[in-house]
Amino acid sequence: MTAYITPLDNIRFLVNDVFDYPSHYASFEQLNEVTPDLVDAIVQECGKFCEKELSPIYQSGDHEGCHFEDGHVTTPKGFKQAYEKYTQAGWNSLSYPQEFGGQGLPQSLGFIRSGMLSASNWSFNMYPGLTIGAVNTIVAHGSEIQKQQFLPKMSEGSWSGTMCLTEAHCGTDLGQIQTKAISHDDGSYAISGSKIFISAGEHDLTDNIIHIVLARLPSSPKGTRGISLFIVPKMNVDQEGNILERNNVACSSLEDKMGIKGSATAVINFDGAKGFLLGEVNKGLESMFTFMNTIRIGTSLQGVGAAEAAYALSLTYAKERLSMRALTGKKYPEKAADPLIVHPDVRRMLLTQKAISEGGLAMVYYACKLTDNIDYHADESIRKQADEKLGLLTPILKAFLTETGFESTNLGMQIFGGHGYIKETGIEQIVRDVRISTIYEGATAIQALDLLGRKILMNKGKELRSFCAEILNFCRKNSVISRSQHGKKLHKMVWPLAKEALIWQKHTFKLMFKASKTRDVVGSASVEYLMYSGYIFMGYMWVMMAKTAHENIAKGHGDLAFNQSKLDTAQFYFERIFPRVKSLSATMMKDPQNMMNMSEEAF
């Protein structure tokens, strides 16, 4: 049975100690009301909401699923009531602009909230989660009329949003989309086509659903250059945002899925539906990336949330389940057997889960500060640097944290043994739920191509060099902290990280050279390159956390056991997980001929 408990100590450690969010927020005049007390209150209260309202309906929502009848979708028992409490408490509007009814708090704080929602009830979070992307896209690319029409109701939560990209004949290759847009004299468009895999595409939680739809004008060029973006509401609305008649938007079915069954994944048909151009004609894919980047960071939090939930379940079970005796002799002689946690391999799996979940959360919190620099910094050059850096890190966050999140949940099932394979314990649901995260919003290979092909090769590794310079500078400053036991441990982490940051750049330049000879190098190396990059990024986070924990212990600040656990987990990461970079660096540098020269018949 799953039961979410907010990791308040870990969140506070990251927010206050490692990344110093209080000083970060205080540096922006627009955020002078975002005090440490306010942040802590939001984290505490949102955690209570997740524990009391969302966690109890996580498994029941999976068991019941969504109901579809005559085009209407009913969410699982408890979802509608939880959503009403969610919006009434103001959680929905946390980081939306004040001029449209939001609270105007930073996106970083919104992501902290979303992380707790993902860990406590992934399926529920899909409904408000998709709305965040829709709101951000309208804010970035919508006209003033469109903003006034749609954003106030979306901010208050009475309307939700979706993203409509995929069609039955094309997923990632959006250049093949066939949904059409025909212009009307009044400036609107008639949208016709069918979209599949639409998360939160139809449900009973809100009065209206605002679909963000990719479609093509008849006169537009073929391929991705001819795609435009449209706002297509389920219910038509006037310019003041009042609901009118039903639009020609219909849900024809729900997908029968492996996981996240409490989330309605719909097939949506548009039959001459009234839509409105969002942004410029034929610039739809560029505008859609506003939506995609928001959702990709959210998806990375889903991977971390699954790892966190699986670790919490596994740890409790490993402490309670009695099985055999420790190899070094009885640890609990008064019991029939020792608990699982005494066994080395169980500890290996638990520590891997812990390193992934806590290191992954640190990676996201690090990136979230960049979103605030983009939104609030007065210096345009700093905003640009933050945007470029986030562009480099986003594919790593999305793909690496979902792949390692899946690894963590599978380790959890292994710890549970046969009990993990049955539904009662809850771990099998997390395994099923997290599996989609490596696929949707751009599969791992797509993220890897974006990282190596676009973010690295197209700008000749500029952002990577800058990030590596940051890591190396950190390592240089912290190479010798003290001669204490903790200082020596940190020293053994700093030097491997610095060495690998240099090798990362060397490998990147070699791949750039090879790619100039044959583009297949990019495709063959990209996934391994992304995972390699992810382990270095996570290593950087673990060194930062170890440094902070070391300083806390030296100052007598915080809980000693908590800080010691951070140091020990960091040491485990560098001894047992970080060495994966060696095998990845070897395989990603191999030429692709072996794969590409084989005939199709040889497979």
Side-chain angles (χ1 to χ4, degrees), residues 36-48:
D37 287 343
L38 175 64
V39 173
D40 197 62
I42 288 172
V43 170
Q44 285 194 67
E45 292 306 312
C46 186
K48 290 177 184 177

Side-chain angles (χ1 to χ4, degrees), residues 18-35:
V18 179
F19 298 120
D20 193 11
Y21 269 69
S23 295
H24 168 70
Y25 290 143
S27 68
F28 301 113
E29 184 179 348
Q30 307 95 313
L31 302 179
N32 55 19
E33 295 182 359
V34 186
T35 63

Side-chain angles (χ1 to χ4, degrees), residues 106-125:
Q107 283 200 71
S108 56
L109 197 49
F111 281 124
I112 292 173
R113 168 212 57 196
S114 296
M116 290 186 278
L117 264 66
S118 294
S120 60
N121 194 323
W122 185 322
S123 293
F124 176 90
N125 191 41

Side-chain angles (χ1 to χ4, degrees), residues 17 23 66 68 88 94 150 175-176 181 220 226 232 253 298 335 365 392 443 447 453 460 478 527 548 584 593 597 603:
D17 298 351
S23 295
C66 294
F68 177 77
Q88 288 170 3
L94 200 67
F150 299 106
Q176 296 187 56
S220 295
V232 186
S253 66
K335 296 182 179 181
Y365 280 21
L392 172 76
Q447 303 299 324
K460 298 181 180 179
N478 296 281
V527 169
T548 304
L584 287 167
Q593 283 87 343
N597 290 346
F603 281 86

